[in-house]
Amino acid sequence: MITMKTLKIFLIAVFTVFLWGCNEDIMDEINTNVNDATSADAFAILPDVLLKSAYTATGTDLAWYASAFIEHSAGQWAQHHDADRRLGLHATSHFNNHWNGMYDILNMLKIIERRCASGGPEENNKHALGISQVLQAYNLAVLTDFWGDVPWSEAVTPGIIKPKFDRQSVIYNDIFALLESGIANLQAAVAQGTNGPNAGSFDYIYAGNNQKWIKAAYSLMARYHMRLSQRDTQAASKALAAIANGFESAADDFLFAKYEASQSGQNPWFSFLFQRSHLCVSTTLFNLMDSRNDPRMVIWFSQLGDPADYNPAPPGEADRVQGGVYSESLITLNGQTLPTPMMTFHELKFIQAEAHFRNSPQGDYASALQDAIRASFVFHGLTIEDANAYYTAEVAPLLAANALNEILIQKYIAMYEHEAMEAYHDYRRTGVPTLYNPYNVTVGFPHRYQYGLSEETSNPENFIVLDIYADKVWWAGGNELAP
Amino acid sequence: MKRLCVFLALVAFVGVNFLQAQTVQITGAVTSAEDGMPIPGVSVMVKGTTIGTSTDADGKYSLAVPQTATTLVFSFVGLRTLEAVIAGRTVIDVVLTFDALALEEIVVTALGIRREKKALGYSVQEVGGDEISRSSNPNLMTALSGKVAGLEVRQSSGMPGAPSTIFIRGARSFSGNNQPLYVVDGMPIASGTDYDQNVTSSYHGSRVIDIDPNDIESVNVLKGQAAAALYGLRASNGVIIITTKSGSQAKVGKPMVTISSSYSMDQVATLPEIQMTYAQGVYNSNVGEPVFNPVNSFAFGPRIDQLADKAILYNSNGTINTVYAGNVWTDGSGNTPYQGMFFHPQKGAWVVPKAYNAAEGFFETGGTFNNHINVAQSGALGNYSLGLGSTHQTGIVTNTGLTRYTGKMSGTMNLSDMFKVGFSGNISAVDMDKLPSGNDSWLFTVYGSPPSYDLMGTPYHVPSGPNNIYRQISHRVGAVGENPIWAVNNNKFHEATQRFFGNAYVEAKPAEWVNLRYQIGLDTYSTDQEVLYQMGSAGTGQAMPTVTAYPNPDNPVYGYVVPTGGRINNFGVIRRNVNSLFNATFTHQFTDDLKGILILGNEFVHNNMRSWTMTGSGFSMPGYNNMANTTTQTAGESKGQSRTVGFYGNLALEYMSMIFLNATGRQDYASSMPRGNRSFFYPSVSLGFVFTELGALKGNSMIPFGKARVSYAEVGQAGSYYDVSYGPGAGSWSGYITTVTYPLGGVTGYRPSRTLYDPNLMPQNTKTLEFGLELRLLDNRIGIDYSFSEQNAKDQIFAVPLAGSTGYTSLMMNAGWMNTVSHEIMLYLTPLKMGDFEWNFNTNFTTYTSIVEELAEGVETISLGGYVTPNIRASAGETYPAIYGNTFLRDDNGNVLVNENPSSAGYGMPLMGDFGKIGDVTPDFYMGFTNIFTYKFITLSAQLDWKKGGQMYSGSNRLMDLYGVSKRTEDRTTPFVWDGYKADGTPNDIERGGPSDIVAYEYLYSSVLSPLDESHIYETSFVKLRDVSLSIAIPNSIIKPVGLQNANISFHARNFLLWTTLPNFDPETAQGMGNMVGGMDYMSLPQTKSFGVGLNLTF
């Protein structure tokens, strides 16, 4: 028969053993996350922001919708058939994923910047610091060009969960400042004589080449100065100054060229058109090229029927079909591993042509335009001779008649189709070319993209309600909506 | 429990046997209706006298009865008292049935503590093993449906082994766990699904499927938090306590062998009604009428009966592309040899136009074959039970099914007066061949197959030639154009699980007032999953053939498409959970009237998990389905562990068998919480007052029993806390396409986690107040048990969504609260009891409302799952969960507004408003009615379930409208005025449709309503005949000679009658798992109806 005392001792002993099993140190060890790294250095994060800058920011939904709005393409199926009819575009859910995705990129870039800034754990990594700033400028511009006034000065900042919206004019100042510090840091990296440890393998774009990054930064600077042509009387001369330090040839192109011929590694435009067939060639683009006998049509557009012929679709009025009826983009269908262009040499040359035209005194815009067309032809696999013939026979007479219009038309054509975002921005800035979607009249042209649902629901105090069909962004002549 | 009763009755009963003159000797045997076994110790009394005896060990009795006697009364604790009219008989055999109203019922409560049911101050409901296995349903979760008040089973799909979600008294957690804890033979076991299911992939088995219902002795449902409080952090959602057969009920002596077999035929329960008039195609504005298109996913084409004239493929500019119409097509000689026919390009042949219902042919008759053998024995040393079971189920779709093998052994052994040991062990091997659902469902192309397309009669791949089985033929193109027959024959979703769970214990009784028990248990399993998309599958890289790849009348050969694509995904998980439990129980009789029981204990739980995934894309060689044959491979793994240590105490006081007070306290330490915030205390207190023990009420046969009860409890639920971490940044995605994955170019990019964690995270707390009233009326022929509970779950742990501009998606923190009020009523009636006939009628009624009182500051709504739109949400001020999506545009009076722009194609049709709430998932109530009729050896039982109210987004109905396949779309000619209003407040009078407006209906269904989520919200009320079974005990005269103790044959049917407000589909078919389940359906496999037969033999 046991006594109360022995029982007590026994119970205390048992409980002590188990109490030891739950002390804080042991519990901490048990709760350690062994699946993910607890920190990552700049070069470990860099590939993901480079990929996302090409993919999320440049190569997917933002551009596909721009391509339909600008009538490079017509929506023949599903959401893009709807988009052509201006259905659902005002919903905050529509671009929510990409809204969040853009800030995801900017957040990662800020993390890199903080790591490499003075006082950070990698304060000597000027190379990564410079790249992070150039990419911030690039992604911030994508953001504000589509969405106008957006959260920035308080965005992606630890401790702030309801960032205020900033005016686009202020954001543009930051874009130029970021490019300038990016250039300065990249130059410091050149002075250090190093690209950082094994930088090449982590740098999808330029394999650690600081000089090429500097040229890309200047080229972007030219693009963003020209974007302000309505707002800055010095836009053209500032653009020309930047161009002087920009790309020297297509070898300097700011491209993401690491796609692989597999389903999980291929170019997203290819995936999209191949798997979904939402877009086909629009009559607006086709007619501009057809009237100029543009030789790029053969390699750009598919032909159907017997005898085979082009069949572009009228924007806003395409029948709803999933492929097989209208001409589609051969650039994309043949482009499983095609690079995503974030900025090309031919775009820079078009900017130069426009800047020369707009500058006072005017510069030699014609030769810049001819260079641009040549670079575009070569970019798409044609020859300089093809370009020269085309320029002489088709472009030169039109240039003589209406120079700025033809420069912008030529740029509009050349931006097909992976650079459609630039065509969309140019149209909103210049009104070129003429668009034909009847819903632009009955509903309206989408002058900007709707903000994300997450911002509407989780930052309602600062959220700006807007009408995408009426409210132009600041550089396109609209009012700034942020307080 | 029964063994204890037998023992008590034997000891307590003193048979009195007066020998009198002029008596008649009556003999007979008493058996149990439950299992046909003889019952020893039954009291047999002559009514109105003290003359009586009791049955012997073989259930036999012999009694001298005065000739004046008219009736014998048979009674036994726990069984229903039976009166038999003598009527000159000298042999009277009777069958006693289980008495659900038995007052002395002993139930298993938290941590295996057995209590008299009348001593409980909270609600517990028991379901017998026979009730669960009655209709041979191999799935325990769905078998519980409708049988327990307060317990709601939300089913997912009709796929064999498909998981269900069980809610007890509604929900308490926004986005955390709302599922009850499962405890088998005293040990908590893993019961969830290891992989989430949202809108893609296939359902994954819930680990409750590892239990064969045939092994179950009883299920006790601890509904309230007070009942479950001793489980501390895991107690918030109630507990399902499963007691397996242990042999304790077996007859002392020789082993009892029970063999049960059943076979059911399973068929699709509901098929959508489709239009049988219109062919594949869409309106062509240049032609000015609907035109045929053999690879378009829509059935908005010409009339099928006009295909011989109209089967012409047009270019969009209105020029003719290909002529398939036999009345129009001419051969080289200018003849039209195929009058009345049209050329079917996928078949490559001229056919007579006809309408087909693809779904009718696609679903097959499946079958379920259950076999189980049980050996049980008990003796002075102890008892054991061994069960072996197998289930083979073939689904209603080719190559789907479930195979389950289970083995179970449990027993106890009395080592001495002081020591007892016992164990319980279960092994299982479960294989499932599944069908994906949601975005990956193959039913898109079954339900969506245009009526003019002969899905079942058309080859699904190019007929002959090398590798042609990888060259699909389909009625549509694109990534979702997979031919479903090709898919089920080539793609594969397989999962295989092997599992052991069990425990062993030692019990010591060093003194009369002390009982010590130590139990250690292990639950371990591994699940291996394989997803295979065969080379040539759409969506993994294969270009689905466009119309030019199919034969045409001028060139009737199949074009060549090189097979590409394919993907293999192997993934799995290993889990190991160790559970140690120590209980010390002290009993003390303070006075004659006051008794106390004190339990002190400790529980230690440690869980380990490891999971992995390997994906290979792009097969090089057709037909060789191995990772080695893929061109790119990626892999990932995840490991984790967690520990919970709890110390608890339970004090029970009992006064005069009238007042029962129970108080518990538990201190938990959880590893998954942040340092410094790991320890929590959870109290509960309950009071039961048996007011029929009061002098004035005692012994009143009108109210033999009445109890009021009240309880209060606080229990928790821990979250998971992590520091910021960096992982591979896969998922650079767009909503439309497959993501890019690392490594890319030999490099992997890393990214920070997108969720932030609050370092001050605390467990969320549920406080519950429960009242209950139990009454037995009219000699126990009526029983009522009512419970009310109010649960307040505060400091919810959830991922508070952040604005995109923060760079993060969410912050895991404590915020918000949810209030849940529930009422449940159990009603037991014995409306009729005449001689050998008895009718029992049991009803369970459940209603609850969970309201999201508050989310985090500034957060109005959070998503629980679904699409960008629609989705399922927790939303402040709304019932939980709610359905959100694109709404109808309404004016200030709530009237639906129509489009008044005459140049718009949607003129006169409803307009789309903002994203907002479009439906409530919560039903008004659930009722389950069970009728059991017993007449001699025949038992007929039927269960009817009624759900009233509740809504669902029916993605399946939406798609069938979108495709122009649903019956609703058959009328395309009658002019219509949409029931809405104009902006000026006047009713809509804009007429659309009719001969001059042919495109109106197509535009309405496929462009206007399709994205208008609110138009696809349906009420999901239903009445379902859940099961019916007829059981016939074969008479002893037949079975005794062949050595059988008992034999019965049963016929059963499940789910074969359904009335519902949801058109076309079964409302118990859903998309997604967990908290979102029930609010959305998107091409899930339909439920099945079953008819079968079962045989039970006991040796």
Side-chain angles (χ1 to χ4, degrees), chain B residues 921-1088:
Chain B
V921 180
T922 312
D924 302 340
F925 61 79
Y926 283 95
M927 285 184 91
F929 305 93
T930 305
N931 279 289
I932 302 174
F933 304 94
T934 314
Y935 178 71
K936 288 189 174 170
F937 52 88
I938 296 178
T939 305
L940 174 68
S941 61
Q943 184 186 328
L944 190 78
D945 286 0
W946 176 20
K947 178 189 163 198
K948 169 77 173 64
Q951 290 174 315
M952 172 189 267
Y953 171 83
S954 178
S956 303
N957 272 306
R958 169 194 169 246
L959 280 163
M960 294 202 42
D961 290 349
L962 167 69
Y963 292 148
V965 175
S966 61
K967 186 78 181 168
R968 177 185 179 194
T969 66
E970 191 147 33
D971 181 358
R972 298 175 185 182
T973 49
T974 314
F976 67 92
V977 177
W978 186 266
D979 186 13
Y981 283 78
K982 292 177 159 183
D984 62 9
T986 58
N988 178 30
D989 56 2
I990 301 165
E991 188 178 274
R992 292 296 309 269
S996 60
D997 187 14
I998 298 169
V999 77
Y1001 276 101
E1002 179 186 336
Y1003 195 81
L1004 174 72
Y1005 290 121
S1006 58
S1007 291
V1008 176
L1009 297 180
S1010 172
L1012 221 167
D1013 302 324
E1014 192 178 354
S1015 71
H1016 310 292
I1017 292 289
Y1018 295 91
E1019 189 187 309
T1020 52
S1021 295
F1022 68 81
V1023 176
K1024 200 177 225 183
L1025 193 51
R1026 183 76 63 190
D1027 58 52
V1028 174
S1029 82
L1030 175 71
S1031 169
I1032 301 163
I1034 298 170
N1036 281 349
S1037 56
I1038 298 172
I1039 60 170
K1040 285 286 184 210
V1042 294
L1044 280 169
Q1045 300 273 351
N1046 180 35
N1048 80 54
I1049 185 162
S1050 63
F1051 302 91
H1052 58 261
R1054 292 198 308 268
N1055 292 346
F1056 69 96
L1057 283 179
L1058 170 70
W1059 171 89
T1060 172
T1061 50
L1062 175 72
N1064 291 320
F1065 296 93
D1066 187 329
E1068 289 191 289
T1069 307
Q1071 185 58 44
M1073 282 301 300
N1075 296 330
M1076 72 172 281
V1077 73
M1080 183 182 287
D1081 153 54
Y1082 220 76
M1083 295 287 166
S1084 269
L1085 189 60
Q1087 297 288 347
T1088 56

Side-chain angles (χ1 to χ4, degrees), chain B residues 54-84:
Chain B
S54 63
T55 56
D56 64 14
D58 291 328
K60 299 212 162 95
Y61 71 93
S62 175
L63 181 64
V65 179
Q67 281 189 328
T68 53
T70 58
T71 307
L72 291 184
V73 180
F74 296 83
S75 61
F76 187 79
V77 174
L79 297 179
R80 188 154 300 163
T81 300
L82 186 142
E83 295 184 9

Side-chain angles (χ1 to χ4, degrees), chain A residues 24 28 35 48 55 61 263, chain B residues 539 639 675 678 732 734 742:
Chain A
E24 291 280 11
D28 270 351
N35 300 312
D48 203 46
Y55 197 100
D61 301 35
Q263 215 195 348
Chain B
K639 287 179 281 198
R675 192 179 176 105
R678 288 198 169 111
S732 308
S734 147
Y742 291 112

Side-chain angles (χ1 to χ4, degrees), chain A residues 1-4 7 10-11 14-15 18-19 21-22 24-31 33-40 44-45 47-49 51-52 55-56 60-61 64-65 77 79-82 85 87-88 90-91 93-94 97-101 103-104 107-108 111 151 154-157 160-163 201-202 204 256 258-260 262-266 268-269 271-272 274-276 278 305 311 317 319-326 439 442 453-455 457-461, chain B residues 282-285 293 296-298 315-317 476-479 510-511 513-514 516 518 539-543 567 580 582 584 586 600-602 604 606 617 632 637-639 641-643 645 647 669-673 675-678 721-722 724-727 729-752 754 801-808 857-861 868-869 873 886 901 903 905 912-915 1002-1003 1006-1007:
Chain A
M1 191 60 44
I2 58 166
T3 64
M4 204 64 195
L7 196 65
F10 173 72
L11 289 177
V14 167
F15 280 44
F18 286 114
L19 203 53
C22 60
E24 291 280 11
D25 288 343
I26 289 177
M27 290 301 217
D28 270 351
E29 195 184 319
I30 289 170
N31 202 38
N33 179 355
V34 294
N35 300 312
D36 300 301
T38 48
S39 76
I45 306 172
D48 203 46
V49 281
L51 171 64
K52 287 183 162 75
Y55 197 100
T56 309
T60 50
D61 301 35
W64 300 335
Y65 281 95
W77 185 248
Q79 285 87 343
H80 290 83
H81 189 262
D82 289 346
R85 283 147 190 78
L87 292 170
H90 66 282
S93 56
H94 201 272
N97 289 324
H98 276 69
W99 172 262
N100 297 338
Y103 282 103
D104 183 31
N107 188 37
M108 285 195 270
I111 289 172
E154 292 183 356
V156 295
T157 306
I160 298 180
I161 61 169
K162 296 187 176 176
S201 61
F202 295 101
Y204 279 140
F256 184 91
K258 294 288 180 184
Y259 295 117
E260 294 169 355
S262 73
Q263 215 195 348
S264 58
Q266 68 204 13
W269 268 97
S271 299
F272 178 59
F274 188 77
Q275 293 171 7
R276 297 276 179 160
H278 284 190
N311 186 22
E317 294 179 313
D319 282 332
R320 190 176 40 207
V321 292
Q322 194 173 11
V325 173
Y326 297 115
Y439 290 91
T442 57
L453 179 63
S454 73
E455 211 65 34
T457 54
S458 299
N459 189 10
E461 294 86 343
Chain B
V282 289
Y283 182 80
N284 182 309
S285 50
N293 184 332
N296 194 295
S297 53
F298 291 92
N315 298 317
S316 60
N317 59 12
R476 58 183 288 188
V477 295
W513 51 276
V514 190
L516 303 175
Y518 180 73
T540 64
Q542 177 72 57
R567 185 167 77 229
S580 148
F582 175 78
F586 309 96
L600 295 174
N602 159 268
F604 175 97
H606 193 98
S617 301
T632 54
E637 65 160 353
S638 175
K639 287 179 281 198
Q641 52 178 336
S642 67
R643 176 179 294 184
V645 180
F647 298 90
Y669 299 85
S671 69
S672 66
M673 298 296 284
R675 192 179 176 105
N677 265 11
R678 288 198 169 111
Y721 172 83
Y722 294 109
V724 174
S725 61
Y726 292 81
S732 308
W733 64 279
S734 147
Y736 298 109
I737 56 172
T738 324
T739 70
V740 168
T741 53
Y742 291 112
L744 186 71
V747 173
T748 295
Y750 291 83
R751 54 151 308 117
R754 296 204 72 182
L802 295 177
S805 59
T806 60
Y808 294 91
E857 192 204 329
V859 178
E860 291 301 311
T861 162
V868 172
T869 174
R873 289 180 167 257
N886 295 322
N901 180 354
S903 63
M912 192 197 290
D914 290 335
F915 180 80
E1002 179 186 336
Y1003 195 81
S1006 58
S1007 291

Side-chain angles (χ1 to χ4, degrees), chain A residues 32-338:
Chain A
T32 304
N33 179 355
V34 294
N35 300 312
D36 300 301
T38 48
S39 76
D41 65 23
F43 287 127
I45 306 172
L46 201 53
D48 203 46
V49 281
L50 291 170
L51 171 64
K52 287 183 162 75
S53 298
Y55 197 100
T56 309
T58 315
T60 50
D61 301 35
L62 300 178
W64 300 335
Y65 281 95
S67 175
F69 297 154
I70 196 60
E71 300 175 14
H72 275 167
S73 305
Q76 60 174 344
W77 185 248
Q79 285 87 343
H80 290 83
H81 189 262
D82 289 346
D84 255 14
R85 283 147 190 78
R86 309 293 181 244
L87 292 170
L89 296 174
H90 66 282
T92 51
S93 56
H94 201 272
F95 286 108
N96 185 50
N97 289 324
H98 276 69
W99 172 262
N100 297 338
M102 290 311 301
Y103 282 103
D104 183 31
I105 299 171
L106 289 166
N107 188 37
M108 285 195 270
L109 289 166
K110 279 282 183 208
I111 289 172
I112 296 176
E113 190 181 36
R114 282 196 296 269
R115 287 190 70 86
C116 302
S118 58
E122 298 180 58
E123 62 182 345
N124 287 324
N125 193 345
K126 299 291 182 201
H127 175 72
L129 180 61
I131 292 177
S132 77
Q133 289 163 335
V134 174
L135 286 175
Q136 273 183 66
Y138 177 80
N139 287 289
L140 184 56
V142 170
L143 188 67
T144 189
D145 287 344
F146 279 114
W147 280 284
D149 298 354
V150 295
W152 170 240
S153 57
E154 292 183 356
V156 295
T157 306
I160 298 180
I161 61 169
K162 296 187 176 176
K164 71 177 177 74
F165 281 58
D166 295 319
R167 293 174 170 235
Q168 190 174 50
S169 55
V170 176
I171 292 169
Y172 254 85
N173 290 339
D174 271 9
I175 290 171
F176 294 122
L178 280 163
L179 287 172
E180 274 157 21
S181 15
I183 290 165
N185 284 308
L186 287 160
Q187 279 162 347
V190 174
Q192 281 175 344
T194 170
N195 294 329
N198 293 321
S201 61
F202 295 101
D203 180 356
Y204 279 140
I205 312 284
Y206 288 128
N209 186 327
N210 287 314
Q211 297 293 0
K212 288 203 174 189
W213 273 107
I214 292 168
K215 286 184 211 170
Y218 277 115
S219 304
L220 290 171
M221 199 182 279
R223 174 198 278 179
Y224 302 132
H225 279 306
M226 188 48 79
R227 189 88 81 229
L228 305 187
S229 63
Q230 284 196 34
R231 292 290 183 184
D232 181 357
T233 51
Q234 300 302 306
S237 64
K238 288 177 184 170
L240 288 169
I243 289 166
N245 296 309
F247 302 139
E248 292 172 54
S249 73
D252 295 335
D253 278 355
F254 186 33
L255 302 175
F256 184 91
K258 294 288 180 184
Y259 295 117
E260 294 169 355
S262 73
Q263 215 195 348
S264 58
Q266 68 204 13
N267 182 300
W269 268 97
F270 172 79
S271 299
F272 178 59
L273 194 60
F274 188 77
Q275 293 171 7
R276 297 276 179 160
S277 299
H278 284 190
L279 295 173
C280 59
V281 177
S282 150
T283 47
T284 307
L285 172 73
F286 181 84
N287 292 340
L288 286 172
M289 293 178 75
D290 196 34
S291 66
R292 287 167 174 77
N293 299 308
D294 195 317
R296 287 171 291 191
M297 292 198 309
V298 182
I299 53 170
W300 283 6
F301 308 141
S302 66
Q303 300 182 38
L304 305 93
D306 185 18
D309 196 5
Y310 300 112
N311 186 22
E317 294 179 313
D319 282 332
R320 190 176 40 207
V321 292
Q322 194 173 11
V325 173
Y326 297 115
S327 293
E328 293 178 5
S329 167
L330 293 176
I331 298 178
T332 289
L333 291 174
N334 296 331
Q336 190 177 13
T337 59
L338 205 70

